[in-house]
């Protein structure tokens, strides 16, 4: 065969490569839809992941493209020697592999922190307009939470009148909270106020290290400056800024987003629902909500329930309207309204392939551009709604959403979905899989379920950690990644943790994966948990995996950890608590920002799949080892799910030992025979 023919053959083979559904995902519903897509000749991200391999240099963090002399690829030599690393590998400007990897890493933090925080800013703007009563669609719903967060933003909730403290007008407080919150993004003096919600010891450590954020935007901008060619060329100093920006995300932009959403739309409390593609209904108008901000989708929930809208759907031949969600908008609506989860990040194309989605409405973040191409193969209307997130494909409808005419926009969208119901052209094929779930947990509901009878605190949770029934806490979060088998890491790691008595707090796509695997029900405790955790869950009636929301709601995990410290008995700082973090299938910059604010808050945090630091071993060692000495928390990477879980458990045990509570657990978990032997 001639050389040319060989090349052509290779190209053809490559083009014909398609994903093996079973290798691509553990979820039978997704396997069925990948097969269906291949039958219909519709390409999905699973096929593209097979066709396109990742660049080995970029994925290990050592490609610098911050100026036009490059990209400089600082490949790791086979005979790598850490001692001479900076002299043997250099970019054209002389940047070392450590500098390049650190720059790339903190630019990822900047991207993630910007995404979360800009989401938070959007919420703060709507919040202020609701507080000022400039919109009819939004109202302050949860005044209890408003009064709780006001002092943290330096807004007094009482004033002195004639020598007596009296309550301030609630509307006045709301306006001031909105104004103060918005200032957090760009105030010229002071520091991010919520940093003081961390345990005192943590805040003082941040002060000492010089990483308390000044304002949210400034820390992100400074990363872009420092990583410009010829500015900061010390990986430790670069990471100091990365740390400050990550704290500005977790304890700033994300936490404000969560709090203000709770005040506007209600703090979540446990409720039941369902998860997976099987929530779509053939005889209903299916409207799928996808993205991250609940601002618009909250209005869609209101409109879709109006009797005249339901009647309109019936007039088109449907039995009703089925709302469901993908990604974190889904988590937001689930938490507050019980709207079912249609799927994770990697299932967005698959939902459309059912042929049953009459409209998919998207806002911001984690929306694959290919959903427009998939929608084009079906009758599905794809609607973008945000001025900063549009798509170039012509079949995409843009209905720009504005809080001043929110209900009108929402109605337009719901009617568009209804009008499209009669246009279904492909045979509808909805997988039957869906799992029952209990979701809607948060700092407040954990306190309610696991608090003391007489003391409204985390007393009972702490007590059960101290006595060893609960070994520790795992915060398992983050994305799906088409480079690894969909949901396998998520589910295996969480199962291994609860089997070993580690209670799990989950958010984002991990929460959806756990939901699909049936881990979000109180009944799952009996099936999957170790004896200690099972006993606690069965007594209190909670699932062993607590869904605490979307990715911005990782701030709830930080605050829950702070509450554990406050309740006493488990040290003075988050780094003392038997807790570990994990993102088994991460892929987004937001995940890196989350990972780093977990680490900066004192949490040992393990990522799966890959981490863009492995090409710079010295920098990697700084994050994986030296960071623990500085912040009490550090990064790790473990691809194997069981080993991943056991690294977390080993860290939890290390913390138990340091607290002197390691023996208690052994006593609690002794079975009857052991006890009798002891008594004899
Ligand atoms: O913010 S977990 S894939 S959906 S980035 Fe995206 Fe990752 Fe899912 Fe929510 Ni978070």
């Amino acid at each position: 065969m001639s050389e040319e023919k060989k090349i052509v053959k290779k190209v053809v083979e490559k083009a014909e490569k398609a994903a093996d559904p079973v290798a691509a995902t553990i979820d039978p519903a997704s396997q069925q839809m990948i097969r269906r897509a291949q039958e219909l000749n519709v390409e999905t991200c699973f096929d593209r992941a097979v066709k396109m391999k990742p660049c080995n240099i970029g994925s290990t963090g050592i490609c610098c493209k911050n100026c036009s002399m490059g990209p400089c690829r600082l490949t790791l030599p086979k005979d790598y020697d850490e001692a001479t690393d900076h002299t043997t590998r250099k970019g054209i400007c002389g940047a070392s592999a450590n500098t390049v990897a650190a720059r790339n890493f903190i630019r990822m933090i900047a991207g993630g922190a910007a995404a979360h925080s800009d989401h938070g800013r959007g919420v703060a703007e709507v919040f202020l307009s609701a507080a000022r009563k400039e919109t009819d669609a939004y109202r302050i719903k949860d005044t209890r939470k408003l009064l709780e967060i006001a002092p943290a933003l330096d807004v007094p909730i009482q004033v002195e009148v004639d020598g007596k403290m009296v309550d301030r007008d609630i509307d006045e407080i709301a306006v001031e909270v909105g104004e103060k919150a918005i200032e957090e993004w760009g105030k010229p003096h002071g520091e991010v106020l919520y940093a003081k919600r961390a345990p005192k010891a943590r805040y003082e450590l941040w002060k000492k290290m010089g990483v308390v954020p000044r304002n949210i935007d400034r820390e992100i901008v400074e990363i872009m400056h420092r990583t410009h060619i010829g500015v900061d060329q010390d990986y430790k100093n670069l990471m100091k800024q990365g740390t400050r920006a990550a704290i500005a995300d977790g304890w700033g932009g994300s936490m404000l987003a969560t709090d203000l959403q709770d005040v506007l739309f209600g703090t979540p409390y446990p409720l039941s629902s369902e998860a997976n593609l099987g929530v779509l209904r053939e005889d209903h108008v299916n409207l799928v909500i996808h993205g991250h901000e609940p601002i618009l989708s909250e209005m869609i929930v209101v409109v879709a329930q109006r009797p005249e809208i339901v009647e309109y759907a019936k007039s088109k031949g449907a039995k009703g309207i089925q709302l469901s969600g993908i990604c974190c908008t889904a988590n937001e609506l689930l938490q507050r309204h019980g709207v079912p989860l249609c799927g994770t990040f990697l299932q967005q194309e698959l939902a459309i392939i059912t042929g049953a989605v009459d409209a998919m409405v998207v806002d911001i973040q984690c929306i694959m551009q290919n959903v427009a191409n998939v929608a084009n193969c079906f009758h599905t209307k794809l609607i973008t709604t945000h001025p900063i997130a549009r798509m170039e494909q012509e079949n995409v409808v843009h209905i720009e959403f504005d809080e001043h005419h929110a209900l009108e926009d929402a109605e337009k969208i719901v009617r568009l979905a209804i009008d499209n119901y009669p246009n279904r052209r492909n045979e509808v094929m909805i997988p039957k899989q869906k799992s029952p779930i209990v979701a809607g947990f948060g700092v407040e509901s954990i306190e309610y379920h696991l608090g003391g009878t007489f003391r409204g605190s985390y007393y009972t949770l702490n007590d059960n950690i101290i006595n060893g029934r609960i070994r520790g806490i795992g915060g398992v979060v983050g994305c799906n990644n088409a480079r690894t088998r969909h949901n396998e890491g998520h589910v295996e790691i969480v199962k291994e943790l609860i089997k070993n008595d580690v209670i799990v707090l989950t958010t984002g796509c991990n929460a959806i994966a756990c939901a699909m695997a049936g881990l979000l029900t109180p009944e799952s405790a009996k099936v999957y948990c170790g004896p200690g955790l099972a006993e606690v869950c069965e007594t209190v009636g909670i699932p062993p995996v607590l869904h605490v929301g979307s990715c911005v709601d990782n701030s709830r995990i930080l605050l829950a950890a702070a509450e554990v410290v406050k309740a006493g008995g488990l040290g003075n700082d988050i780094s003392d608590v038997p807790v570990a973090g994990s993102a088994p299938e991460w892929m987004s910059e937001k995940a890196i920002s989350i990972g780093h604010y977990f680490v900066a808050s004192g949490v040992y945090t393990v990522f799966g799949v890959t981490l863009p630091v492995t090409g710079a071993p010295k920098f990697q060692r700084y994050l994986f080892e030296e960071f623990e000495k500085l912040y009490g928390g550090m990064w790790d990477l473990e691809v194997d799910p069981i080993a991943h879980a056991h690294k977390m458990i080993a860290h939890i045990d290390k913390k138990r030992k340091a607290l002197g509570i390691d023996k208690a657990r052994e006593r609690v978990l002794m079975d009857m025979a052991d006890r009798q032997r002891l008594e004899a």
Side-chain angles (χ1 to χ4, degrees), residues 116 292 327-328 345 365-366 478-480 508-509 551 587-588 590:
H116 285 145
H292 284 76
C327 285
C328 284
F345 170 69
Q365 300 167 22
C366 302
C479 325
N480 282 144
C509 288
C551 275
M587 62 85 202
S588 74
K590 289 186 288 173

Side-chain angles (χ1 to χ4, degrees), residues 99 103 225-228 230-235 237-238 241:
T99 301
R103 275 182 190 157
H225 180 188
R226 286 201 197 197
T227 55
H228 185 275
V231 187
D232 204 346
Q233 292 161 141
D234 170 4
Y235 63 95
N237 207 39
L238 285 159
Q241 183 55 21

